[in-house]
Amino acid sequence: MLQAALKAGTADRRSVFEVFTRRLPEGRRYGVVAGTGRVLDAVENFRFDADVIGFLRDRRVVDEETLQWLSSYRFSGDIWGYPEGEVYFPGSPILRVEGSFAECVLLETVILSILNHDSAIAAAASRMASAAGERPLIEMGARRTHELAAVAASRAAYVGGFATTSDLAAGFRYDIPTVGTSAHAFTLLHDNERDAFQAQVDSLGPGTTLLVDTYDVTEAVRTAVEVAGPELGAVRIDSGDLLLVAHRVRQQLDELGATKTKIVVTSDLDEYAIASLAAAPVDAYGVGTQLVTGSGHPTCSMVYKLVARAHSADPKAPLEPVAKKSLGAKSSVGGRKWAARRPDEHGVAETEVIGTGAVPVELADHQLLVELVKGGEVVAREPLDTVRDRHAAARERLPLSATQLSKGEAVIPTEYV
Amino acid sequence: MLQAALKAGTADRRSVFEVFTRRLPEGRRYGVVAGTGRVLDAVENFRFDADVIGFLRDRRVVDEETLQWLSSYRFSGDIWGYPEGEVYFPGSPILRVEGSFAECVLLETVILSILNHDSAIAAAASRMASAAGERPLIEMGARRTHELAAVAASRAAYVGGFATTSDLAAGFRYDIPTVGTSAHAFTLLHDNERDAFQAQVDSLGPGTTLLVDTYDVTEAVRTAVEVAGPELGAVRIDSGDLLLVAHRVRQQLDELGATKTKIVVTSDLDEYAIASLAAAPVDAYGVGTQLVTGSGHPTCSMVYKLVARAHSADPKAPLEPVAKKSLGAKSSVGGRKWAARRPDEHGVAETEVIGTGAVPVELADHQLLVELVKGGEVVAREPLDTVRDRHAAARERLPLSATQLSKGEAVIPTEYV
């Protein structure tokens, strides 16, 4: 595309691309924008180095003129978007990328990869956080997804409301609080369970979390309290009927005087399993597979579409709306868009309003897009805790039914004006 | 775990860990081992550099003795495993890692991440390749998964039988054949469809593939042949009822004399959609979302379990089998295992046989595990085409029902001896 547009003289036409999704995953009531911070890093670092140029030349992927153009590539346009952590709905213009066709079209894959992945994880995390209420969620899914997707998944989970991660690489890279756990292998390494518990407590103190389901849970809990004393931090249960076992273990711990020892449960949890444990004496949830695979929806179907373009690079040349005209679900709405979330009289979100042209006065204060990149420079970096807080606040302003786990349509309608 | 084992004096106990899965994803008849080559790279490069050690110290994740141990970490043990591309079944010991507890336990997350991700994609790819028969499959899913998971997904798709990828980074990194496509944005950039087609043909020649569903397909096909002539390489259809549209486009192309122009279809294809187009005049399939998300099963549930350990580091100390004893689906079989696939008289796979101790004579020639790492050195690197061919051959030796798409149990049973 780039080579042909360069040759045809159309590569520098001023263009507007937008990221949006035509629908939410089946049954989901809202989406969560996540990955924006990673997109900004990726755009800033998007370059073609000598090795890559050499590869493209050897494989004859593009011609010499295009290679020259690529070797000096640097995005110099503007990006606006929903701030990270915000919620979204079908049609929401989550990101708007403006510049020459050539410089914008190259970013399609990396932008969509990041937003589709991270937003899918954050949406699952957000539902789990709703289900868990005040109880903390621990991200433990690294082993069930690609090794670097795992690090991004930890970040997205934190945005969605998780408290901590067991992925130290995510702590290193994004400063997310990390926590650890011991595996069955640690117990099996030792001559017996008591030796294993003793080794862990000797090294980490009685405040550690002991895994109590390698052999017999009741015996393990007794041994754990004997070894660590009633100051034992927590026990972890990773198998069996968690509801039943948690009640029994709580009772046993209380009888042993370990009334402050907490119970952490893990074992293929998802938002429904978490909700079903709401009445159980559980203090924290560790979630792995279902989190990092988006709890049934590992991607978000976001697309990156040209919605308007001028006839030249001239910033004064008028933008013309463009759109694919095919019949059916894949058509889209042309034109450079704004978006606002209209609240009702109580401040609860009522409608996602999307339009082209001037923003109606009554919606001016409810606009959603913010400036992220200006003339190629990132202007909106922010700490991950700000993003996490924003998501919690945005979810708070949705109608209550948004956080119920039952399937349904988007919790507010999208209106085009 | 590492810190406590170092303190307790158990960290250097000779240990055997195995990777296996307790079950195949629901309905799947076989699994595909993929990612082994990436595991070997990861093991070889697994180090803790000064920045990471500094992070672990600042966060007080582990004590100073452990930091010292980590800063000189290098895996020095042995790894055997199913060769990459081989198929597997519930219980198959896909990888076996031997060394001190400490050096082996550290590799759990990276090994599982790679195998769980890559094998999930390869399994989906393999089913799609069966459904596509002789027609080539193009990997086009980068935008629907994490940006680096995408590169690994291209590699796994190639192992599973895909012919090419649109992910240039995968071509660069793994030397997979790359192909390109134009998007609707390219058509919309130009003043009309004819200008867009002309620009593409001028730059890439008539052998290019033109996207014909931006406006009206019939008109686009007519324009495409007018612009490129009957030597037009292919047209791509990305929306609508592909079965119907492919028939109409084929007829139109033939009437226009473009009898050799091929038809490429894309649009949320999965193995079932591919199979349903078997009788349609389609020449190639482009597959995205459903491939990179494992077609409903984005991970493989592989686990990494301690199955045997000695009481010391002494290579002569006897290995004792160990296993979690809990009730239910999460128990596992202790002991260092071998595996063989017993064929019937026609050479068709009949049983996956897994055992500990001596290998029965009649199975000696059918063993599955090969040496991959010896004393910390990788001894089994191989070209990706070898892996791809191995998978095709392994699938060929399965009972025919393996490649039917209907749901069922594992196509051969697992037998423990």
Side-chain angles (χ1 to χ4, degrees), chain B residues 75-258:
Chain B
F75 180 71
S76 67
D78 302 323
I79 302 181
W80 287 63
Y82 278 38
E84 186 166 8
E86 189 48 270
V87 297
Y88 70 84
F89 299 94
S92 298
I94 292 154
L95 206 74
R96 193 176 68 205
V97 181
E98 304 193 34
S100 73
F101 175 80
E103 68 180 338
C104 295
V105 77
L106 281 186
L107 297 176
E108 170 168 0
T109 300
V110 73
I111 287 176
L112 286 180
S113 290
I114 293 173
L115 293 178
N116 269 323
H117 175 266
D118 290 16
S119 300
I121 309 303
S126 177
R127 285 163 60 85
M128 292 170 183
S130 289
E134 298 297 309
R135 296 174 180 174
L137 290 162
I138 309 164
E139 188 281 301
M140 300 172 67
R143 70 195 62 186
R144 295 296 171 84
T145 186
H146 178 276
E147 67 274 23
L148 291 172
V151 181
S154 282
R155 184 185 179 283
Y158 191 68
V159 169
F162 272 55
T164 53
T165 178
S166 66
D167 189 329
L168 286 166
F172 175 68
R173 185 137 176 196
Y174 298 117
D175 204 28
I176 300 167
T178 57
V179 296
T181 178
S182 55
H184 298 107
F186 183 79
T187 300
L188 297 171
L189 167 69
H190 292 87
D191 294 350
N192 54 58
E193 202 167 45
R194 180 178 297 269
D195 282 5
F197 289 176
Q198 192 69 56
Q200 189 172 332
V201 170
D202 284 351
S203 176
L204 298 161
T208 192
T209 300
L210 295 173
L211 176 62
V212 293
D213 70 340
T214 305
Y215 304 107
D216 177 79
V217 172
T218 305
E219 204 177 304
V221 170
R222 192 183 316 122
T223 306
V225 177
E226 280 174 20
V227 169
E231 312 87 72
L232 173 62
V235 296
R236 176 162 79 99
I237 307 166
D238 182 48
S239 55
D241 179 337
L242 295 177
L243 185 60
L244 180 72
V245 178
H247 276 288
R248 286 189 183 158
V249 167
R250 181 73 269 158
Q251 188 182 349
Q252 187 187 3
L253 285 169
D254 290 346
E255 287 169 4
L256 293 169

Side-chain angles (χ1 to χ4, degrees), chain B residues 259-274:
Chain B
T259 54
K260 293 190 173 161
T261 299
K262 294 185 170 167
I263 297 177
V264 182
V265 295
T266 56
S267 189
D268 281 336
L269 297 177
D270 62 10
E271 61 268 45
Y272 304 102
I274 291 167

Side-chain angles (χ1 to χ4, degrees), chain B residues 370-382:
Chain B
V370 299
E371 190 168 37
L372 299 170
V373 175
K374 185 174 183 170
E377 299 299 323
V378 175
V379 296
R381 286 200 201 287
E382 54 187 0

Side-chain angles (χ1 to χ4, degrees), chain B residues 287-310:
Chain B
V287 187
T289 307
Q290 290 303 316
L291 173 73
V292 298
T293 58
S295 198
H297 299 294
T299 188
C300 298
S301 316
M302 287 182 197
V303 293
Y304 182 88
K305 293 292 175 190
L306 182 67
V307 295
R309 54 118 182 90

